[in-house]
Amino acid sequence: MASGKAQLSQVFVSLLCCSLLAPQAGSVVITAPEHLRGRNFPAMPAEFGYTMETEAVRGPLRVPADNQHGCMHMSAGALQGAVVLVRRGKCTFHKKAVVLRKAGAIGMVVVNNIRGGPLFSMTDDTTDRGNTIPAVLISDVSGDFLQARVDEETQLGESVHVAITLSCSTTYNHGVVHSCSSDDPSEWKLE
């Protein structure tokens, strides 16, 4: 009986610690065009750079065709005012954020390169720490969907717009983000 109580106590302490230490989750939500509006993708914010504590980062979603990992230098203004979708790999998360910021981007969405891999909070390489943009990691499936929508809308002469923000009520399962309660970031309340 005593060992059962001890195990229960350990489980309670573990759950309490995990809930207190669990990182704040985020979401990427399509805000335009209208037929895609409200599509919501779980995301995990980076541990470096600007935090999205008070408002969403909103802008057109761009995918640099010749720099899909976001590691190569781009000219200043090449991504002015855009949220940029890049692939994980080839360089550090932090370097991607710095490269994109210098090109004028206002946000970065990194697509996980591990098929079905969990979301996690991206870390920095300890250089130039305060000189980045808001950044989140999304799943490979979410990234592939967003990439396809950007390609389709571009062919139609339109653009996809997104908002990156912290989620109002996100559920976790073993540290992995699973859902958000609202598809409209204007309705999200920070806790």
Side-chain angles (χ1 to χ4, degrees), residues 161-184:
H161 288 249
V162 296
I164 305 172
T165 191
L166 295 180
S167 299
C168 52
S169 60
T170 303
T171 59
Y172 291 88
N173 184 2
H174 305 290
V176 178
V177 182
H178 283 274
S179 67
C180 181
S181 66
S182 173
D183 285 340
D184 186 351

Side-chain angles (χ1 to χ4, degrees), residues 112-153:
N112 198 347
N113 62 354
I114 298 173
R115 290 284 170 205
L119 299 182
F120 57 89
S121 188
M122 298 176 289
T123 59
D124 67 14
D125 59 9
T126 69
T127 61
D128 199 19
R129 294 186 106 172
N131 215 359
T132 62
I133 53 179
V136 295
L137 179 75
I138 62 173
S139 73
D140 59 305
V141 174
S142 297
D144 292 347
F145 180 88
L146 286 169
Q147 170 84 51
R149 299 303 73 80
V150 167
D151 294 346
E152 288 172 3
E153 294 302 319

Side-chain angles (χ1 to χ4, degrees), residues 45-172:
E47 291 180 7
F48 57 85
Y50 173 90
T51 59
M52 298 163 284
E53 293 176 359
T54 57
E55 63 182 61
V57 175
R58 299 169 187 266
L61 186 63
R62 300 268 310 275
V63 180
D66 57 346
N67 192 3
Q68 70 175 344
H69 289 93
C71 298
M72 297 183 304
H73 171 77
M74 292 187 253
S75 60
L79 299 169
Q80 194 63 43
V83 174
V84 182
L85 183 75
V86 293
R87 300 286 167 169
R88 180 181 175 196
K90 307 284 186 198
C91 65
T92 67
F93 298 121
H94 186 265
K95 180 176 180 178
K96 295 173 191 297
V98 171
V99 166
L100 298 178
R101 181 196 53 80
K102 288 179 178 178
I106 59 169
M108 175 176 79
V109 178
V110 178
V111 180
N112 198 347
N113 62 354
I114 298 173
R115 290 284 170 205
L119 299 182
F120 57 89
S121 188
M122 298 176 289
T123 59
D124 67 14
D125 59 9
T126 69
T127 61
D128 199 19
R129 294 186 106 172
N131 215 359
T132 62
I133 53 179
V136 295
L137 179 75
I138 62 173
S139 73
D140 59 305
V141 174
S142 297
D144 292 347
F145 180 88
L146 286 169
Q147 170 84 51
R149 299 303 73 80
V150 167
D151 294 346
E152 288 172 3
E153 294 302 319
T154 299
Q155 289 179 358
L156 297 171
E158 301 293 330
S159 61
V160 174
H161 288 249
V162 296
I164 305 172
T165 191
L166 295 180
S167 299
C168 52
S169 60
T170 303
T171 59
Y172 291 88

